[in-house]
Amino acid sequence: MKARNSWWLLAVAAALIVASVLIGSRHEGTEFAGTDGQAMKTIATLNPDYQPWFDFIWAPPPEIASGLFALQAALGAGVLGYYLGFKRGQRQGRQSRSDAGD
Amino acid sequence: MHITEGFLPPLHAVAWTAASLPFIFFSVYRVNRLMREKPETKLLLAASGAFAFVISALKLPSVTGSCSHATGTGLGAILFGPSVMALLGTIVLAFQTLLLAHGGVTTLGANVFSMAIAGPWVAYAVLRSAKGLKAPLAASVFLAAMLGDLTTYLVTAGQLALAFPDPASGIVGSFLKFTGVFAPTQLPLAVIEGLLTVVIVNFLREYSSDELQNLRFLPKPLVSEARP
């Protein structure tokens, strides 16, 4: 019952993302800009004289940055997937052993 | 949600770093103790950190035509307690700062405070309250992860408002402006984070009940079952 619930939850999450893209794209001039950048623009309107006093130590070139973002997601998904697969396998191993013992 | 490098005045940057440091030190101590006393939960801790890693790498679109990402710190907070997440969240934020130019070194303290301290503590408090009110576990987990995510953004808006008060309406006016920037993007993302956290917890209830009982996330069975 739980597994089926999870598929529903994932479907709702995916539907929310798809609906967001579709609705968001109808706005004039949307680029799906990041909120971090929007916050910086708000700072500029509140305090036009403010100058950032420290710059990035190192910023990756844009093409490299997309790879590093993918690396972050891959590392996270890899470890998470390893854990989930490990636990599932552990359970199945226990079950087949106890079946064999009967 | 990250405050970008250099966008907090030096005094604020130092103050938020000073506020976050004790939590990070305490977190290191707690993680060490957890590893020593419950080494069998090590893999689950790694998986919780990994969840935050992958969730915060994904920029998701929003209905307003902007994008942002969820935090993923609610899961670890409700499983291991909020103090453990300060360290894991700091690792995620440091990775993004140093390798992706996302966030910043001078703003790391402030970003750690919102994402790795305030969010996890609220998530944990919500879960405990919901459990106390005998709400179903799935609903409690959903609310905890969602409100933890939203808290992160409200705290970020507050940090920016303190640093950049509106000339006319002051800190409150500025807070509302920053909240207005974050809220429409963040609300649907918080719902998505809540849903995904419930999916993971559902899986854990099915396959990792030993660890969850060990962490007292699930009650221990009264009669210990004989394990094959």
Side-chain angles (χ1 to χ4, degrees), chain B residues 51-113:
Chain B
F51 182 70
F53 230 64
V54 62
I55 290 282
S56 62
L58 299 176
K59 287 196 179 176
L60 296 172
S62 157
V63 286
T64 50
S66 55
C67 81
S68 186
H69 50 77
T71 62
T73 52
L75 177 69
I78 58 177
L79 294 179
F80 289 94
S83 50
V84 164
M85 288 317 287
L87 178 62
L88 297 186
T90 304
I91 295 172
V92 174
L93 288 168
F95 181 96
Q96 295 192 320
T97 296
L98 296 175
L99 292 179
L100 299 165
H102 204 65
V105 177
T106 59
T107 53
L108 185 64
N111 290 332
V112 165
F113 197 90

Short mmCIF file of all heavy atoms in Angstrom, two decimals, chain B residues 51-113:
data_model
loop_
_atom_site.label_atom_id
_atom_site.label_comp_id
_atom_site.label_asym_id
_atom_site.label_seq_id
_atom_site.Cartn_x
_atom_site.Cartn_y
_atom_site.Cartn_z
N PHE B 51 20.50 13.12 0.14
CA PHE B 51 19.19 13.67 -0.26
C PHE B 51 19.27 15.20 -0.35
O PHE B 51 18.83 15.80 -1.34
CB PHE B 51 18.14 13.24 0.77
CG PHE B 51 16.74 13.70 0.45
CD1 PHE B 51 16.05 13.16 -0.62
CD2 PHE B 51 16.12 14.67 1.22
CE1 PHE B 51 14.76 13.57 -0.92
CE2 PHE B 51 14.82 15.08 0.94
CZ PHE B 51 14.15 14.53 -0.13
N ALA B 52 19.89 15.83 0.67
CA ALA B 52 20.06 17.29 0.64
C ALA B 52 20.94 17.69 -0.54
O ALA B 52 20.69 18.71 -1.19
CB ALA B 52 20.66 17.78 1.95
N PHE B 53 21.95 16.90 -0.84
CA PHE B 53 22.86 17.18 -1.94
C PHE B 53 22.12 17.22 -3.27
O PHE B 53 22.24 18.16 -4.04
CB PHE B 53 23.93 16.08 -1.99
CG PHE B 53 25.33 16.59 -2.05
CD1 PHE B 53 25.85 17.34 -1.00
CD2 PHE B 53 26.14 16.33 -3.14
CE1 PHE B 53 27.15 17.82 -1.05
CE2 PHE B 53 27.44 16.81 -3.20
CZ PHE B 53 27.95 17.55 -2.15
N VAL B 54 21.32 16.18 -3.52
CA VAL B 54 20.67 16.11 -4.83
C VAL B 54 19.53 17.12 -4.92
O VAL B 54 19.38 17.80 -5.94
CB VAL B 54 20.20 14.67 -5.15
CG1 VAL B 54 19.18 14.16 -4.17
CG2 VAL B 54 19.65 14.56 -6.54
N ILE B 55 18.77 17.28 -3.83
CA ILE B 55 17.64 18.22 -3.86
C ILE B 55 18.13 19.65 -4.08
O ILE B 55 17.53 20.42 -4.83
CB ILE B 55 16.84 18.14 -2.54
CG1 ILE B 55 16.10 16.81 -2.44
CG2 ILE B 55 15.89 19.29 -2.41
CD1 ILE B 55 14.86 16.73 -3.25
N SER B 56 19.24 20.02 -3.44
CA SER B 56 19.68 21.41 -3.57
C SER B 56 20.46 21.64 -4.86
O SER B 56 20.84 22.77 -5.16
CB SER B 56 20.49 21.84 -2.34
OG SER B 56 21.65 21.06 -2.24
N ALA B 57 20.72 20.59 -5.62
CA ALA B 57 21.37 20.78 -6.92
C ALA B 57 20.35 21.03 -8.01
O ALA B 57 20.70 21.49 -9.10
CB ALA B 57 22.21 19.56 -7.27
N LEU B 58 19.08 20.68 -7.74
CA LEU B 58 18.08 20.76 -8.80
C LEU B 58 17.34 22.09 -8.73
O LEU B 58 16.62 22.36 -7.80
CB LEU B 58 17.07 19.61 -8.63
CG LEU B 58 17.66 18.20 -8.73
CD1 LEU B 58 16.59 17.18 -8.45
CD2 LEU B 58 18.27 17.99 -10.10
N LYS B 59 17.57 22.90 -9.76
CA LYS B 59 16.81 24.14 -9.83
C LYS B 59 15.48 23.84 -10.48
O LYS B 59 15.43 23.31 -11.59
CB LYS B 59 17.57 25.17 -10.66
CG LYS B 59 18.76 25.72 -9.93
CD LYS B 59 19.25 26.98 -10.61
CE LYS B 59 20.43 27.55 -9.88
NZ LYS B 59 20.98 28.72 -10.57
N LEU B 60 14.42 24.13 -9.76
CA LEU B 60 13.09 23.80 -10.27
C LEU B 60 12.37 25.07 -10.68
O LEU B 60 12.54 26.13 -10.07
CB LEU B 60 12.30 23.06 -9.18
CG LEU B 60 12.89 21.71 -8.77
CD1 LEU B 60 12.16 21.15 -7.57
CD2 LEU B 60 12.83 20.75 -9.93
N PRO B 61 11.55 24.96 -11.72
CA PRO B 61 10.83 26.14 -12.21
C PRO B 61 9.64 26.46 -11.31
O PRO B 61 9.18 25.61 -10.56
CB PRO B 61 10.33 25.69 -13.58
CG PRO B 61 10.14 24.23 -13.43
CD PRO B 61 11.22 23.77 -12.49
N SER B 62 9.17 27.68 -11.40
CA SER B 62 8.01 28.07 -10.61
C SER B 62 6.98 28.75 -11.50
O SER B 62 7.30 29.21 -12.59
CB SER B 62 8.44 29.00 -9.50
OG SER B 62 7.36 29.77 -9.07
N VAL B 63 5.75 28.81 -11.01
CA VAL B 63 4.65 29.39 -11.81
C VAL B 63 4.90 30.83 -12.19
O VAL B 63 4.36 31.33 -13.16
CB VAL B 63 3.31 29.30 -11.06
CG1 VAL B 63 2.79 27.89 -11.06
CG2 VAL B 63 3.44 29.83 -9.65
N THR B 64 5.74 31.55 -11.45
CA THR B 64 5.96 32.95 -11.74
C THR B 64 7.04 33.15 -12.80
O THR B 64 7.40 34.27 -13.11
CB THR B 64 6.39 33.70 -10.47
OG1 THR B 64 7.47 32.96 -9.87
CG2 THR B 64 5.25 33.81 -9.50
N GLY B 65 7.57 32.05 -13.35
CA GLY B 65 8.59 32.18 -14.38
C GLY B 65 9.96 32.44 -13.82
O GLY B 65 10.82 33.02 -14.46
N SER B 66 10.18 32.04 -12.58
CA SER B 66 11.51 32.12 -12.01
C SER B 66 11.88 30.72 -11.55
O SER B 66 11.09 29.79 -11.69
CB SER B 66 11.54 33.10 -10.85
OG SER B 66 10.57 32.74 -9.91
N CYS B 67 13.07 30.55 -11.02
CA CYS B 67 13.42 29.22 -10.53
C CYS B 67 14.24 29.31 -9.27
O CYS B 67 14.84 30.33 -8.97
CB CYS B 67 14.15 28.40 -11.59
SG CYS B 67 15.89 28.77 -11.73
N SER B 68 14.20 28.24 -8.52
CA SER B 68 14.97 28.16 -7.30
C SER B 68 15.07 26.69 -6.93
O SER B 68 14.60 25.84 -7.67
CB SER B 68 14.29 28.96 -6.18
OG SER B 68 15.14 28.98 -5.05
N HIS B 69 15.68 26.39 -5.78
CA HIS B 69 15.73 24.98 -5.40
C HIS B 69 15.30 24.80 -3.96
O HIS B 69 15.35 25.72 -3.15
CB HIS B 69 17.12 24.41 -5.63
CG HIS B 69 18.21 25.25 -5.04
ND1 HIS B 69 18.47 25.25 -3.70
CD2 HIS B 69 19.05 26.12 -5.60
CE1 HIS B 69 19.45 26.08 -3.47
NE2 HIS B 69 19.82 26.64 -4.59
N ALA B 70 14.86 23.58 -3.67
CA ALA B 70 14.47 23.25 -2.31
C ALA B 70 15.74 22.96 -1.50
O ALA B 70 16.84 23.04 -2.03
CB ALA B 70 13.54 22.05 -2.34
N THR B 71 15.58 22.65 -0.24
CA THR B 71 16.75 22.52 0.63
C THR B 71 17.10 21.07 0.92
O THR B 71 18.27 20.72 1.02
CB THR B 71 16.52 23.23 1.96
OG1 THR B 71 15.43 22.61 2.62
CG2 THR B 71 16.22 24.69 1.73
N GLY B 72 16.10 20.21 1.13
CA GLY B 72 16.37 18.81 1.40
C GLY B 72 16.90 18.53 2.80
O GLY B 72 17.33 17.42 3.08
N THR B 73 16.89 19.54 3.68
CA THR B 73 17.47 19.33 5.01
C THR B 73 16.44 18.82 6.02
O THR B 73 16.81 18.42 7.12
CB THR B 73 18.09 20.63 5.56
OG1 THR B 73 17.13 21.67 5.46
CG2 THR B 73 19.33 21.00 4.80
N GLY B 74 15.15 18.82 5.62
CA GLY B 74 14.12 18.38 6.56
C GLY B 74 14.24 16.89 6.89
O GLY B 74 14.02 16.49 8.03
N LEU B 75 14.58 16.08 5.90
CA LEU B 75 14.64 14.63 6.10
C LEU B 75 15.61 14.25 7.21
O LEU B 75 15.24 13.57 8.17
CB LEU B 75 15.05 13.93 4.79
CG LEU B 75 15.21 12.42 4.89
CD1 LEU B 75 13.87 11.74 5.10
CD2 LEU B 75 15.90 11.86 3.66
N GLY B 76 16.85 14.72 7.10
CA GLY B 76 17.85 14.40 8.12
C GLY B 76 17.44 14.95 9.48
O GLY B 76 17.67 14.31 10.51
N ALA B 77 16.82 16.14 9.48
CA ALA B 77 16.44 16.76 10.75
C ALA B 77 15.41 15.93 11.49
O ALA B 77 15.51 15.75 12.70
CB ALA B 77 15.91 18.17 10.50
N ILE B 78 14.43 15.38 10.77
CA ILE B 78 13.40 14.62 11.48
C ILE B 78 13.90 13.23 11.84
O ILE B 78 13.44 12.65 12.82
CB ILE B 78 12.07 14.54 10.68
CG1 ILE B 78 12.29 13.90 9.32
CG2 ILE B 78 11.46 15.91 10.53
CD1 ILE B 78 11.02 13.73 8.53
N LEU B 79 14.87 12.68 11.11
CA LEU B 79 15.38 11.35 11.44
C LEU B 79 16.41 11.40 12.55
O LEU B 79 16.39 10.61 13.49
CB LEU B 79 16.01 10.69 10.21
CG LEU B 79 15.08 10.35 9.04
CD1 LEU B 79 15.89 9.74 7.91
CD2 LEU B 79 13.99 9.40 9.49
N PHE B 80 17.36 12.36 12.44
CA PHE B 80 18.52 12.36 13.34
C PHE B 80 18.47 13.48 14.37
O PHE B 80 19.33 13.57 15.22
CB PHE B 80 19.80 12.51 12.52
CG PHE B 80 20.15 11.29 11.72
CD1 PHE B 80 19.74 11.18 10.41
CD2 PHE B 80 20.86 10.24 12.29
CE1 PHE B 80 20.05 10.05 9.67
CE2 PHE B 80 21.16 9.11 11.56
CZ PHE B 80 20.76 9.02 10.24
N GLY B 81 17.49 14.36 14.27
CA GLY B 81 17.48 15.54 15.13
C GLY B 81 18.15 16.69 14.41
O GLY B 81 19.03 16.49 13.57
N PRO B 82 17.72 17.91 14.72
CA PRO B 82 18.16 19.08 13.94
C PRO B 82 19.65 19.39 14.10
O PRO B 82 20.26 19.90 13.16
CB PRO B 82 17.30 20.21 14.51
CG PRO B 82 16.85 19.74 15.84
CD PRO B 82 16.75 18.26 15.77
N SER B 83 20.25 19.07 15.24
CA SER B 83 21.64 19.51 15.44
C SER B 83 22.58 18.82 14.47
O SER B 83 23.62 19.38 14.10
CB SER B 83 22.07 19.27 16.88
OG SER B 83 21.77 17.96 17.25
N VAL B 84 22.23 17.62 14.04
CA VAL B 84 23.10 16.88 13.12
C VAL B 84 23.17 17.58 11.75
O VAL B 84 24.19 17.53 11.05
CB VAL B 84 22.58 15.43 12.99
CG1 VAL B 84 23.18 14.73 11.80
CG2 VAL B 84 22.90 14.66 14.26
N MET B 85 22.07 18.26 11.37
CA MET B 85 22.00 18.82 10.02
C MET B 85 22.90 20.03 9.81
O MET B 85 23.21 20.38 8.68
CB MET B 85 20.56 19.21 9.67
CG MET B 85 19.67 18.02 9.41
SD MET B 85 20.44 16.74 8.42
CE MET B 85 20.44 17.51 6.81
N ALA B 86 23.32 20.70 10.89
CA ALA B 86 24.17 21.88 10.72
C ALA B 86 25.44 21.50 9.97
O ALA B 86 25.86 22.20 9.04
CB ALA B 86 24.51 22.51 12.07
N LEU B 87 26.03 20.36 10.32
CA LEU B 87 27.25 19.91 9.65
C LEU B 87 26.96 19.51 8.20
O LEU B 87 27.65 19.95 7.27
CB LEU B 87 27.87 18.74 10.41
CG LEU B 87 29.13 18.15 9.77
CD1 LEU B 87 30.24 19.20 9.72
CD2 LEU B 87 29.60 16.93 10.54
N LEU B 88 25.91 18.69 8.01
CA LEU B 88 25.61 18.22 6.64
C LEU B 88 25.27 19.40 5.73
O LEU B 88 25.73 19.46 4.59
CB LEU B 88 24.45 17.22 6.67
CG LEU B 88 24.70 15.92 7.44
CD1 LEU B 88 23.54 14.96 7.27
CD2 LEU B 88 25.98 15.25 6.99
N GLY B 89 24.47 20.33 6.24
CA GLY B 89 24.08 21.49 5.44
C GLY B 89 25.29 22.36 5.10
O GLY B 89 25.38 22.91 4.00
N THR B 90 26.21 22.48 6.06
CA THR B 90 27.41 23.28 5.81
C THR B 90 28.25 22.65 4.69
O THR B 90 28.80 23.36 3.85
CB THR B 90 28.25 23.39 7.10
OG1 THR B 90 27.43 23.93 8.13
CG2 THR B 90 29.45 24.30 6.89
N ILE B 91 28.31 21.31 4.69
CA ILE B 91 29.07 20.63 3.62
C ILE B 91 28.44 20.93 2.26
O ILE B 91 29.13 21.27 1.30
CB ILE B 91 29.11 19.10 3.88
CG1 ILE B 91 29.90 18.82 5.15
CG2 ILE B 91 29.71 18.37 2.69
CD1 ILE B 91 29.85 17.37 5.61
N VAL B 92 27.10 20.84 2.19
CA VAL B 92 26.41 21.13 0.93
C VAL B 92 26.69 22.56 0.49
O VAL B 92 27.06 22.82 -0.67
CB VAL B 92 24.88 20.93 1.08
CG1 VAL B 92 24.16 21.35 -0.19
CG2 VAL B 92 24.56 19.48 1.42
N LEU B 93 26.55 23.52 1.41
CA LEU B 93 26.73 24.93 1.07
C LEU B 93 28.17 25.24 0.70
O LEU B 93 28.43 26.03 -0.21
CB LEU B 93 26.27 25.82 2.23
CG LEU B 93 24.75 25.86 2.43
CD1 LEU B 93 24.40 26.51 3.75
CD2 LEU B 93 24.10 26.62 1.28
N ALA B 94 29.13 24.59 1.38
CA ALA B 94 30.54 24.83 1.06
C ALA B 94 30.85 24.31 -0.34
O ALA B 94 31.55 24.96 -1.12
CB ALA B 94 31.44 24.16 2.09
N PHE B 95 30.31 23.15 -0.68
CA PHE B 95 30.50 22.59 -2.03
C PHE B 95 30.00 23.59 -3.07
O PHE B 95 30.69 23.90 -4.05
CB PHE B 95 29.75 21.26 -2.14
CG PHE B 95 29.88 20.57 -3.48
CD1 PHE B 95 30.83 19.59 -3.69
CD2 PHE B 95 29.03 20.91 -4.54
CE1 PHE B 95 30.93 18.95 -4.92
CE2 PHE B 95 29.13 20.29 -5.78
CZ PHE B 95 30.09 19.30 -5.97
N GLN B 96 28.77 24.10 -2.84
CA GLN B 96 28.19 25.01 -3.82
C GLN B 96 28.94 26.32 -3.91
O GLN B 96 29.06 26.93 -4.97
CB GLN B 96 26.72 25.26 -3.48
CG GLN B 96 25.89 24.00 -3.61
CD GLN B 96 24.41 24.29 -3.56
OE1 GLN B 96 23.96 25.13 -2.78
NE2 GLN B 96 23.63 23.61 -4.37
N THR B 97 29.46 26.78 -2.77
CA THR B 97 30.19 28.05 -2.77
C THR B 97 31.52 27.93 -3.50
O THR B 97 31.86 28.74 -4.35
CB THR B 97 30.45 28.49 -1.32
OG1 THR B 97 29.20 28.73 -0.69
CG2 THR B 97 31.31 29.72 -1.27
N LEU B 98 32.28 26.87 -3.15
CA LEU B 98 33.64 26.79 -3.66
C LEU B 98 33.69 26.30 -5.10
O LEU B 98 34.54 26.72 -5.87
CB LEU B 98 34.47 25.86 -2.76
CG LEU B 98 34.63 26.37 -1.32
CD1 LEU B 98 35.33 25.36 -0.45
CD2 LEU B 98 35.40 27.70 -1.32
N LEU B 99 32.78 25.40 -5.47
CA LEU B 99 32.86 24.82 -6.81
C LEU B 99 31.87 25.43 -7.80
O LEU B 99 32.08 25.36 -9.00
CB LEU B 99 32.63 23.30 -6.75
CG LEU B 99 33.76 22.52 -6.05
CD1 LEU B 99 33.43 21.04 -6.01
CD2 LEU B 99 35.08 22.75 -6.75
N LEU B 100 30.77 26.00 -7.31
CA LEU B 100 29.74 26.45 -8.24
C LEU B 100 29.53 27.96 -8.22
O LEU B 100 28.68 28.47 -8.94
CB LEU B 100 28.41 25.77 -7.90
CG LEU B 100 28.43 24.24 -8.02
CD1 LEU B 100 27.23 23.65 -7.34
CD2 LEU B 100 28.46 23.84 -9.48
N ALA B 101 30.28 28.69 -7.38
CA ALA B 101 30.06 30.13 -7.22
C ALA B 101 28.59 30.41 -6.94
O ALA B 101 27.98 31.29 -7.53
CB ALA B 101 30.54 30.90 -8.47
N HIS B 102 28.04 29.61 -6.05
CA HIS B 102 26.63 29.71 -5.69
C HIS B 102 26.60 29.94 -4.19
O HIS B 102 26.99 29.06 -3.43
CB HIS B 102 25.96 28.38 -6.07
CG HIS B 102 24.50 28.48 -6.30
ND1 HIS B 102 23.95 29.20 -7.32
CD2 HIS B 102 23.47 27.94 -5.63
CE1 HIS B 102 22.65 29.11 -7.27
NE2 HIS B 102 22.33 28.34 -6.25
N GLY B 103 26.18 31.11 -3.75
CA GLY B 103 26.33 31.45 -2.33
C GLY B 103 27.59 32.26 -2.17
O GLY B 103 27.90 33.08 -3.03
N GLY B 104 28.34 32.05 -1.11
CA GLY B 104 29.58 32.79 -0.95
C GLY B 104 30.27 32.45 0.35
O GLY B 104 29.66 31.88 1.26
N VAL B 105 31.57 32.77 0.41
CA VAL B 105 32.33 32.51 1.64
C VAL B 105 31.91 33.50 2.72
O VAL B 105 31.68 33.13 3.88
CB VAL B 105 33.85 32.60 1.37
CG1 VAL B 105 34.62 32.41 2.67
CG2 VAL B 105 34.27 31.58 0.35
N THR B 106 31.78 34.78 2.33
CA THR B 106 31.42 35.79 3.33
C THR B 106 29.98 35.63 3.79
O THR B 106 29.61 36.06 4.87
CB THR B 106 31.60 37.21 2.77
OG1 THR B 106 30.77 37.34 1.61
CG2 THR B 106 33.04 37.48 2.39
N THR B 107 29.14 35.02 2.95
CA THR B 107 27.73 34.85 3.32
C THR B 107 27.44 33.44 3.78
O THR B 107 26.29 33.09 4.05
CB THR B 107 26.81 35.19 2.12
OG1 THR B 107 27.24 34.43 0.99
CG2 THR B 107 26.87 36.65 1.78
N LEU B 108 28.49 32.60 3.88
CA LEU B 108 28.29 31.20 4.27
C LEU B 108 27.62 31.09 5.64
O LEU B 108 26.69 30.29 5.83
CB LEU B 108 29.63 30.45 4.27
CG LEU B 108 29.57 28.94 4.53
CD1 LEU B 108 28.80 28.23 3.42
CD2 LEU B 108 30.97 28.34 4.64
N GLY B 109 28.07 31.92 6.58
CA GLY B 109 27.49 31.88 7.93
C GLY B 109 26.00 32.13 7.89
O GLY B 109 25.21 31.41 8.52
N ALA B 110 25.59 33.15 7.15
CA ALA B 110 24.16 33.50 7.06
C ALA B 110 23.39 32.38 6.36
O ALA B 110 22.28 32.01 6.78
CB ALA B 110 23.99 34.81 6.31
N ASN B 111 23.96 31.83 5.29
CA ASN B 111 23.27 30.77 4.55
C ASN B 111 23.18 29.49 5.38
O ASN B 111 22.16 28.79 5.34
CB ASN B 111 23.99 30.49 3.23
CG ASN B 111 23.82 31.63 2.23
OD1 ASN B 111 22.82 32.34 2.27
ND2 ASN B 111 24.78 31.81 1.36
N VAL B 112 24.23 29.19 6.14
CA VAL B 112 24.18 28.02 7.03
C VAL B 112 23.09 28.24 8.07
O VAL B 112 22.32 27.32 8.38
CB VAL B 112 25.55 27.80 7.73
CG1 VAL B 112 25.41 26.85 8.92
CG2 VAL B 112 26.56 27.23 6.74
N PHE B 113 22.99 29.47 8.59
CA PHE B 113 21.99 29.72 9.63
C PHE B 113 20.58 29.47 9.10
O PHE B 113 19.76 28.87 9.77
CB PHE B 113 22.11 31.15 10.15
CG PHE B 113 21.41 31.33 11.46
CD1 PHE B 113 22.07 31.11 12.66
CD2 PHE B 113 20.06 31.68 11.51
CE1 PHE B 113 21.42 31.24 13.87
CE2 PHE B 113 19.40 31.81 12.72
CZ PHE B 113 20.08 31.58 13.91
#
